[in-house]
Amino acid sequence: MALFTLGHVIHLIEDASVPDHTRNDPHPGDSPYETYTSHYTAKNPDTSLKIRLANTTAIKKNSLSEYFDGIASYSNNNFYSKDTIGIQSGYNKPQTDYYQNEGQYSYAYTEYPEKHRIAVKPINNKYNYLINNTGNISITEKDGRLYVLNDYWSLLSKKAVQYGAGVLELFFKEVEQHKNDPEYLAK
């Protein structure tokens, strides 16, 4: 039962790495980020994830609450969801550090936590990244390129694994601490 519950907790940690889930963005069947990530499966793994995880460690926290708050804050503060781009969404983050034109698109970049694209718009779009009530500012390019979503995945997937590994370590640390305590086991 404990390992079954641990599996649910790890699933919830993974869910908290999805910006839609941490930015109050209902998205039944309509999340560009979840659609993008769904092509990674056991039969089609992200082979570069192992490289991104090299030289990293599990994130250490003292409680499950700290793990949930940590991954949710990371996701919420550094990435947009489809419907939470711009100040009208009620979120002040992420903040754009600079803009760069690439082909027919203009990309908003942030340097924190690592340099990555956070939004895209066609160059001929006159609207400002801060105010997006037109739907012309997005996290997907209209021609099917997925640079912004790929940047999101490269950072969020790594953090999800690091936080999940930390939860596993905390679980087994707690098991070791309480395994011979009859009062704890009775509960």
Side-chain angles (χ1 to χ4, degrees):
M1 181 54 109
L3 290 174
F4 181 79
T5 303
L6 175 63
H8 283 290
V9 170
I10 297 292
H11 176 92
L12 293 172
I13 290 290
E14 291 169 351
D15 274 352
S17 75
V18 177
D20 307 60
H21 296 180
T22 62
R23 294 177 69 87
N24 199 25
D25 187 357
H27 57 281
D30 186 30
S31 168
Y33 181 71
E34 286 187 328
T35 299
Y36 174 77
T37 63
S38 70
H39 76 274
Y40 293 117
T41 64
K43 292 182 180 178
N44 182 40
D46 175 5
T47 55
S48 68
L49 180 58
K50 184 176 180 179
I51 295 165
R52 291 194 309 277
L53 288 167
N55 302 316
T56 65
T57 60
I59 293 177
K60 309 269 192 227
K61 301 286 183 187
N62 295 315
S63 68
L64 280 179
S65 294
E66 289 180 32
Y67 278 104
F68 284 113
D69 289 346
I71 188 69
S73 293
Y74 179 82
S75 173
N76 176 289
N77 291 332
N78 300 299
F79 306 91
Y80 291 123
S81 65
K82 181 177 92 64
D83 297 319
T84 65
I85 300 171
I87 58 174
Q88 77 286 342
S89 71
Y91 294 98
N92 295 324
K93 294 180 181 179
Q95 299 267 330
T96 300
D97 290 319
Y98 65 94
Y99 305 95
Q100 185 171 324
N101 292 344
E102 299 172 26
Q104 62 184 351
Y105 294 104
S106 171
Y107 292 91
Y109 279 85
T110 186
E111 293 285 338
Y112 182 83
E114 296 175 47
K115 176 183 168 184
H116 66 283
R117 297 169 187 94
I118 54 174
V120 60
K121 69 177 184 171
I123 287 177
N124 62 1
N125 179 340
K126 64 182 179 178
Y127 293 98
N128 182 305
Y129 276 99
L130 294 176
I131 302 171
N132 177 36
N133 355 11
T134 65
N136 291 325
I137 301 165
S138 179
I139 58 175
T140 56
E141 296 84 345
K142 302 255 187 274
D143 63 5
R145 295 184 308 166
L146 301 169
Y147 295 147
V148 175
L149 292 174
N150 187 60
D151 283 4
Y152 281 27
W153 170 254
S154 70
L155 297 173
L156 288 163
S157 61
K158 182 171 82 171
K159 285 295 182 205
V161 171
Q162 289 178 285
Y163 273 86
V167 167
L168 285 169
E169 284 186 18
L170 178 64
F171 174 83
F172 286 107
K173 176 182 156 192
E174 292 290 318
V175 166
E176 191 62 32
Q177 181 180 341
H178 296 290
K179 73 180 183 181
N180 295 319
D181 179 353
E183 286 182 34
Y184 187 82
L185 294 174
K187 291 179 189 177

CSV table of all heavy atoms in Angstrom, one decimal, residues 121-145:
chain,number,residue,atom,x,y,z
A,121,LYS,N,5.7,35.0,-31.3
A,121,LYS,CA,4.6,35.6,-32.1
A,121,LYS,C,5.2,35.9,-33.5
A,121,LYS,O,6.4,36.0,-33.6
A,121,LYS,CB,4.2,36.9,-31.4
A,121,LYS,CG,5.2,38.1,-31.4
A,121,LYS,CD,4.7,39.3,-30.8
A,121,LYS,CE,5.7,40.4,-30.9
A,121,LYS,NZ,5.1,41.7,-30.6
A,122,PRO,N,4.3,35.9,-34.5
A,122,PRO,CA,4.8,36.3,-35.8
A,122,PRO,C,5.4,37.7,-35.8
A,122,PRO,O,5.0,38.6,-35.1
A,122,PRO,CB,3.6,36.3,-36.7
A,122,PRO,CG,2.6,35.4,-35.9
A,122,PRO,CD,2.9,35.6,-34.5
A,123,ILE,N,6.5,37.9,-36.5
A,123,ILE,CA,7.2,39.2,-36.5
A,123,ILE,C,6.3,40.3,-36.9
A,123,ILE,O,6.3,41.4,-36.4
A,123,ILE,CB,8.4,39.1,-37.4
A,123,ILE,CG1,9.5,38.3,-36.8
A,123,ILE,CG2,9.0,40.5,-37.8
A,123,ILE,CD1,10.8,38.1,-37.6
A,124,ASN,N,5.3,40.1,-37.8
A,124,ASN,CA,4.4,41.1,-38.3
A,124,ASN,C,3.3,41.4,-37.3
A,124,ASN,O,2.5,42.3,-37.5
A,124,ASN,CB,3.9,40.8,-39.7
A,124,ASN,CG,3.0,39.5,-39.7
A,124,ASN,OD1,2.9,38.9,-38.6
A,124,ASN,ND2,2.5,39.2,-40.8
A,125,ASN,N,3.3,40.7,-36.2
A,125,ASN,CA,2.2,40.9,-35.2
A,125,ASN,C,2.6,42.2,-34.4
A,125,ASN,O,3.7,42.2,-33.7
A,125,ASN,CB,2.2,39.7,-34.2
A,125,ASN,CG,1.2,39.8,-33.1
A,125,ASN,OD1,0.8,40.9,-32.8
A,125,ASN,ND2,0.9,38.7,-32.6
A,126,LYS,N,1.8,43.2,-34.4
A,126,LYS,CA,2.1,44.4,-33.7
A,126,LYS,C,1.8,44.4,-32.2
A,126,LYS,O,2.2,45.3,-31.5
A,126,LYS,CB,1.2,45.6,-34.3
A,126,LYS,CG,-0.3,45.3,-34.1
A,126,LYS,CD,-1.1,46.4,-34.7
A,126,LYS,CE,-2.6,46.1,-34.4
A,126,LYS,NZ,-3.5,47.0,-34.9
A,127,TYR,N,1.2,43.3,-31.7
A,127,TYR,CA,0.9,43.3,-30.2
A,127,TYR,C,2.1,43.0,-29.4
A,127,TYR,O,3.0,42.3,-29.8
A,127,TYR,CB,-0.2,42.3,-30.0
A,127,TYR,CG,-1.5,42.7,-30.6
A,127,TYR,CD1,-1.9,42.1,-31.8
A,127,TYR,CD2,-2.3,43.6,-30.0
A,127,TYR,CE1,-3.1,42.5,-32.4
A,127,TYR,CE2,-3.5,44.0,-30.6
A,127,TYR,CZ,-3.9,43.5,-31.8
A,127,TYR,OH,-5.0,43.9,-32.4
A,128,ASN,N,2.1,43.6,-28.2
A,128,ASN,CA,3.2,43.5,-27.2
A,128,ASN,C,3.0,42.2,-26.5
A,128,ASN,O,1.9,41.7,-26.2
A,128,ASN,CB,3.1,44.7,-26.3
A,128,ASN,CG,4.1,44.7,-25.2
A,128,ASN,OD1,4.3,43.8,-24.5
A,128,ASN,ND2,4.8,45.8,-25.2
A,129,TYR,N,4.2,41.6,-26.1
A,129,TYR,CA,4.1,40.3,-25.4
A,129,TYR,C,3.4,40.5,-24.0
A,129,TYR,O,2.9,39.5,-23.5
A,129,TYR,CB,5.6,39.8,-25.1
A,129,TYR,CG,6.1,39.0,-26.3
A,129,TYR,CD1,7.0,39.6,-27.2
A,129,TYR,CD2,5.9,37.7,-26.4
A,129,TYR,CE1,7.6,38.9,-28.2
A,129,TYR,CE2,6.4,37.0,-27.4
A,129,TYR,CZ,7.3,37.6,-28.3
A,129,TYR,OH,7.8,36.9,-29.4
A,130,LEU,N,3.4,41.6,-23.5
A,130,LEU,CA,2.8,41.8,-22.1
A,130,LEU,C,1.3,41.8,-22.2
A,130,LEU,O,0.7,41.5,-21.2
A,130,LEU,CB,3.3,43.1,-21.5
A,130,LEU,CG,4.8,43.2,-21.2
A,130,LEU,CD1,5.2,44.6,-20.6
A,130,LEU,CD2,5.2,42.1,-20.2
A,131,ILE,N,0.7,42.2,-23.3
A,131,ILE,CA,-0.7,42.2,-23.4
A,131,ILE,C,-1.1,41.3,-24.6
A,131,ILE,O,-0.9,41.6,-25.7
A,131,ILE,CB,-1.2,43.7,-23.7
A,131,ILE,CG1,-0.7,44.6,-22.5
A,131,ILE,CG2,-2.7,43.7,-23.8
A,131,ILE,CD1,-0.9,46.0,-22.7
A,132,ASN,N,-1.8,40.2,-24.2
A,132,ASN,CA,-2.1,39.2,-25.2
A,132,ASN,C,-3.6,38.9,-25.1
A,132,ASN,O,-4.0,37.9,-24.5
A,132,ASN,CB,-1.3,38.0,-25.0
A,132,ASN,CG,-1.6,36.9,-26.0
A,132,ASN,OD1,-2.0,37.2,-27.1
A,132,ASN,ND2,-1.6,35.6,-25.5
A,133,ASN,N,-4.4,39.7,-25.7
A,133,ASN,CA,-5.8,39.3,-25.7
A,133,ASN,C,-6.2,38.9,-27.2
A,133,ASN,O,-7.4,38.8,-27.5
A,133,ASN,CB,-6.8,40.4,-25.3
A,133,ASN,CG,-6.2,41.7,-24.8
A,133,ASN,OD1,-5.0,41.8,-24.9
A,133,ASN,ND2,-6.9,42.5,-24.1
A,134,THR,N,-5.3,38.8,-28.0
A,134,THR,CA,-5.5,38.5,-29.4
A,134,THR,C,-5.4,37.0,-29.8
A,134,THR,O,-5.8,36.6,-30.8
A,134,THR,CB,-4.6,39.3,-30.3
A,134,THR,OG1,-3.3,38.8,-30.1
A,134,THR,CG2,-4.7,40.8,-30.1
A,135,GLY,N,-4.6,36.3,-28.9
A,135,GLY,CA,-4.3,34.9,-29.3
A,135,GLY,C,-3.2,34.8,-30.3
A,135,GLY,O,-2.8,33.7,-30.7
A,136,ASN,N,-2.6,35.9,-30.7
A,136,ASN,CA,-1.5,35.9,-31.6
A,136,ASN,C,-0.1,35.6,-30.9
A,136,ASN,O,0.9,35.4,-31.6
A,136,ASN,CB,-1.4,37.2,-32.4
A,136,ASN,CG,-2.6,37.3,-33.4
A,136,ASN,OD1,-3.0,36.3,-33.9
A,136,ASN,ND2,-3.1,38.5,-33.5
A,137,ILE,N,-0.1,35.7,-29.6
A,137,ILE,CA,1.1,35.4,-28.9
A,137,ILE,C,0.9,34.0,-28.3
A,137,ILE,O,-0.2,33.7,-27.7
A,137,ILE,CB,1.4,36.5,-27.8
A,137,ILE,CG1,1.6,37.8,-28.5
A,137,ILE,CG2,2.6,36.1,-27.0
A,137,ILE,CD1,1.5,39.0,-27.6
A,138,SER,N,1.9,33.1,-28.4
A,138,SER,CA,1.6,31.7,-28.1
A,138,SER,C,2.8,31.0,-27.6
A,138,SER,O,3.9,31.6,-27.4
A,138,SER,CB,1.2,31.0,-29.5
A,138,SER,OG,0.9,29.7,-29.3
A,139,ILE,N,2.7,29.7,-27.3
A,139,ILE,CA,3.8,28.9,-26.9
A,139,ILE,C,4.1,27.9,-28.0
A,139,ILE,O,4.9,27.0,-27.9
A,139,ILE,CB,3.6,28.2,-25.6
A,139,ILE,CG1,2.4,27.4,-25.5
A,139,ILE,CG2,3.7,29.2,-24.4
A,139,ILE,CD1,2.2,26.5,-24.2
A,140,THR,N,3.3,28.0,-29.2
A,140,THR,CA,3.6,27.2,-30.3
A,140,THR,C,3.6,28.0,-31.6
A,140,THR,O,2.9,29.0,-31.7
A,140,THR,CB,2.4,26.1,-30.5
A,140,THR,OG1,1.2,26.8,-30.6
A,140,THR,CG2,2.4,25.1,-29.4
A,141,GLU,N,4.5,27.7,-32.5
A,141,GLU,CA,4.6,28.4,-33.8
A,141,GLU,C,3.5,27.9,-34.7
A,141,GLU,O,3.2,26.7,-34.7
A,141,GLU,CB,6.0,28.1,-34.4
A,141,GLU,CG,7.1,28.7,-33.6
A,141,GLU,CD,7.6,27.8,-32.4
A,141,GLU,OE1,6.9,26.8,-32.1
A,141,GLU,OE2,8.7,28.0,-31.9
A,142,LYS,N,3.0,28.8,-35.5
A,142,LYS,CA,1.8,28.4,-36.3
A,142,LYS,C,2.2,27.4,-37.4
A,142,LYS,O,1.3,26.7,-37.9
A,142,LYS,CB,1.2,29.7,-37.0
A,142,LYS,CG,0.8,30.7,-35.9
A,142,LYS,CD,-0.7,30.8,-35.8
A,142,LYS,CE,-1.2,31.9,-34.9
A,142,LYS,NZ,-1.2,31.6,-33.5
A,143,ASP,N,3.5,27.4,-37.8
A,143,ASP,CA,3.8,26.4,-38.9
A,143,ASP,C,4.2,25.0,-38.4
A,143,ASP,O,4.8,24.2,-39.1
A,143,ASP,CB,5.0,27.0,-39.7
A,143,ASP,CG,6.3,27.2,-38.9
A,143,ASP,OD1,6.3,26.9,-37.7
A,143,ASP,OD2,7.2,27.8,-39.4
A,144,GLY,N,3.9,24.8,-37.1
A,144,GLY,CA,4.2,23.5,-36.5
A,144,GLY,C,5.5,23.3,-35.9
A,144,GLY,O,5.7,22.2,-35.3
A,145,ARG,N,6.4,24.3,-35.9
A,145,ARG,CA,7.6,24.1,-35.2
A,145,ARG,C,7.3,24.2,-33.7
A,145,ARG,O,6.4,24.9,-33.3
A,145,ARG,CB,8.6,25.2,-35.6
A,145,ARG,CG,9.0,25.1,-37.1
A,145,ARG,CD,10.1,26.1,-37.4
A,145,ARG,NE,9.6,27.5,-37.1
A,145,ARG,CZ,10.4,28.5,-37.0
A,145,ARG,NH1,11.7,28.4,-37.3
A,145,ARG,NH2,10.0,29.7,-36.7
